[in-house]
């Protein structure tokens, strides 16, 4: 129904046709669809989040076996709507709580890759099967990336003098009424939406231009299945960029429609969200360059591997 309305609007009301109609039609349709998905899913996840907080998570992770901690930290990343840079304060909180460094990195990797914004947009664009596969692979990168970093015993490369918390962390119980939870979820959803809606419009705008004016052959020739280095190139292109899932996901949709293999496009998105240069610059203040290099190397290798695997199975 939404597509039919947009078609009527651009053709019958605006009187558009050809490439201009394709571009404007794509922009209006995708912005409306993505905004609706974001508001709906962020609200649902925000409501679920009112039942616990980060102090509870830190208390629960404390003392758990390292690999189990990697799994829990990666899963926790799903319900935190952070980009790679905004996840760093909580990353420091984990270190302060004496949680193993490998576990903290599992969270730092998972938070930008698997947050509800990425899940909502993936579901709306590619359906639940692709979304489930993406979440599974993203969790694998976060779990094993953090696990390997932990096994390398690189705690000495944490430069910032973070004073450990005294004693054991206690579980913090949250007692809210249903109305309070709904109110808090609504406020949180609107706050997040205000921060990202412009990125959606910018991303969709760029995607709409590519959709309407860039020939499919151009993208297929340079980033299609015939280029064995397409995934590697996509990851290297994504690292200098900085965006969140809301800004880059519309590009993924258009690039795949123009002939780029899905694994290549998702690798590009994962590199943009999880391996950004601004993140490296912030981390440089608290981590030694060697640890940052290991972090980028392990995560980058995982993303590249997932891209080729995605291309192979899909």
């Amino acid at each position: 129904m939404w597509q039919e309305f947009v078609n009527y609007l651009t053709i019958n009301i605006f009187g558009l046709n050809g490439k201009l109609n394709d571009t404007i039609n794509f922009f209006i349709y995708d912005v409306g669809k993505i905004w609706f998905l974001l508001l709906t899913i962020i609200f649902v996840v925000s409501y679920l989040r009112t039942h616990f907080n980060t102090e509870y998570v830190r208390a629960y992770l404390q003392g758990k076996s390292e690999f189990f901690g990697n799994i829990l930290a990666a899963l926790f990343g799903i319900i935190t709507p952070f980009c790679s840079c905004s996840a760093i304060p909580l990353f420091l909180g984990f270190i302060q709580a004496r949680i193993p460094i490998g576990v903290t990195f599992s969270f730092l990797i998972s938070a930008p890759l698997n947050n509800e914004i990425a899940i909502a947009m993936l579901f709306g664009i590619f359906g639940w099967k692709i979304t489930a596969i993406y979440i599974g692979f993203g969790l694998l990168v976060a779990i094993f990336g953090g696990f390997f970093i932990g096994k390398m015993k690189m705690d000495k490369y944490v430069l910032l003098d973070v004073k450990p918390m005294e004693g054991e962390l206690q579980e913090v119980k949250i007692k809210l009424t249903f109305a309070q939870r709904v109110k808090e979820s609504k406020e949180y959803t609107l706050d997040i939406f205000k921060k990202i809606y412009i990125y959606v419009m910018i991303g969709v705008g760029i995607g709409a231009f590519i959709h309407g004016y860039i020939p499919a052959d151009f993208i297929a020739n340079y980033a299609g299945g015939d280029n064995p280095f397409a995934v590697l190139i996509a990851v290297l292109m994504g690292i200098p960029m900085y965006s969140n899932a809301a800004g880059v996901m519309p590009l993924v949709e258009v690039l795949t429609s123009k002939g780029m293999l899905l694994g290549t496009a998702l690798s590009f998105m994962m590199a943009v969200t999880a391996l950004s240069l601004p993140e490296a610059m912030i981390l440089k203040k608290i981590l030694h360059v060697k640890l940052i290099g290991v972090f980028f190397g392990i995560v980058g290798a995982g993303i590249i591997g997932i891209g080729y695997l995605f291309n192979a199975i899909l």
Side-chain angles (χ1 to χ4, degrees):
M1 292 177 61
W2 175 238
Q3 181 66 74
E4 292 176 357
F5 172 77
V6 174
N7 291 342
Y8 178 81
L9 184 66
T10 59
I11 297 173
N12 297 86
I13 304 299
F14 296 163
L16 304 177
N17 56 65
K19 292 182 177 180
L20 182 59
N21 177 65
D22 291 341
T23 302
I24 301 300
N25 186 290
F26 181 92
F27 179 81
I28 297 174
Y29 173 78
D30 256 38
V31 167
K33 177 182 69 175
I34 293 172
W35 279 0
F36 173 78
L37 285 168
L38 288 175
L39 288 170
T40 302
I41 296 183
I42 293 176
F43 177 82
V44 172
V45 176
S46 299
Y47 178 80
L48 295 175
R49 191 186 293 116
T50 62
H51 291 273
F52 64 95
N53 65 10
T54 57
E55 293 300 318
Y56 175 87
V57 174
R58 290 196 294 180
Y60 190 76
L61 284 175
Q62 196 175 44
K64 296 294 187 296
S65 65
E66 188 166 349
F67 187 69
F68 185 60
N70 291 122
I71 296 174
L72 291 178
L75 290 172
F76 179 55
I78 295 178
I79 59 172
T80 51
F82 297 125
C83 65
S84 55
C85 292
S86 56
I88 291 175
L90 191 52
F91 169 80
L92 288 175
F94 282 177
I95 294 176
Q96 188 181 30
R98 300 190 298 276
I99 294 170
I101 191 170
V103 175
T104 65
F105 270 104
S106 286
F107 166 76
L108 187 64
I109 297 167
S110 180
L113 286 181
N114 291 314
N115 63 69
E116 69 265 36
I117 297 171
I119 293 171
M121 298 178 75
L122 265 175
F123 178 78
I125 295 171
F126 297 110
W128 70 268
K129 291 183 179 179
I130 298 298
T131 304
I133 295 173
Y134 172 84
I135 293 172
F137 284 152
L139 287 174
L140 285 177
V141 171
I143 292 168
F144 286 100
F147 179 75
F148 289 133
I149 290 174
K151 287 300 179 183
M152 296 178 74
K153 305 296 182 184
M154 305 190 75
D155 303 67
K156 62 183 178 181
Y157 292 116
V158 178
L159 303 179
L160 193 64
D161 184 19
V162 181
K163 185 178 181 180
M165 294 178 176
E166 296 296 333
E168 295 297 315
L169 284 172
Q170 300 297 317
E171 294 184 4
V172 178
K173 302 297 183 181
I174 299 178
K175 296 180 180 180
L176 297 174
T177 66
F178 175 76
Q180 289 174 323
R181 295 184 192 280
V182 171
K183 181 176 181 293
E184 183 176 313
S185 302
K186 179 181 176 182
E187 292 174 351
Y188 186 82
T189 300
L190 292 176
D191 181 59
I192 293 294
F193 184 76
K194 289 176 183 178
K195 293 178 180 178
I196 66 174
Y197 81 93
I198 190 66
Y199 293 103
V200 173
M201 297 184 69
I202 293 172
V204 174
I206 297 172
F209 176 80
I210 296 173
H211 176 78
Y213 290 96
I214 303 298
D217 291 342
F218 177 84
I219 294 175
N221 288 339
Y222 291 95
D226 294 335
N227 185 353
F229 301 105
V231 173
L232 180 60
I233 293 172
V235 171
L236 292 176
M237 289 175 58
I239 291 176
M241 300 177 65
Y242 175 61
S243 182
N244 51 32
V248 74
M249 189 67 74
L251 300 181
V252 172
E253 178 184 15
V254 175
L255 292 172
T256 53
S257 70
K258 289 290 187 177
M260 180 181 286
L261 295 182
L262 183 58
T264 304
L266 289 178
S267 292
F268 169 74
M269 186 196 82
M270 295 169 88
V272 170
T273 56
L275 293 176
S276 66
L277 283 182
E279 177 190 28
M281 294 172 65
I282 295 175
L283 286 175
K284 192 175 183 299
K285 298 180 182 297
I286 57 177
L287 303 176
H288 193 279
V289 174
K290 289 183 179 179
L291 181 51
I292 297 174
V294 169
F295 166 57
F296 269 56
I298 290 176
V299 177
I303 291 174
I304 292 170
I306 285 175
Y308 281 112
L309 187 58
F310 240 108
N311 288 343
I313 66 177
L314 297 176

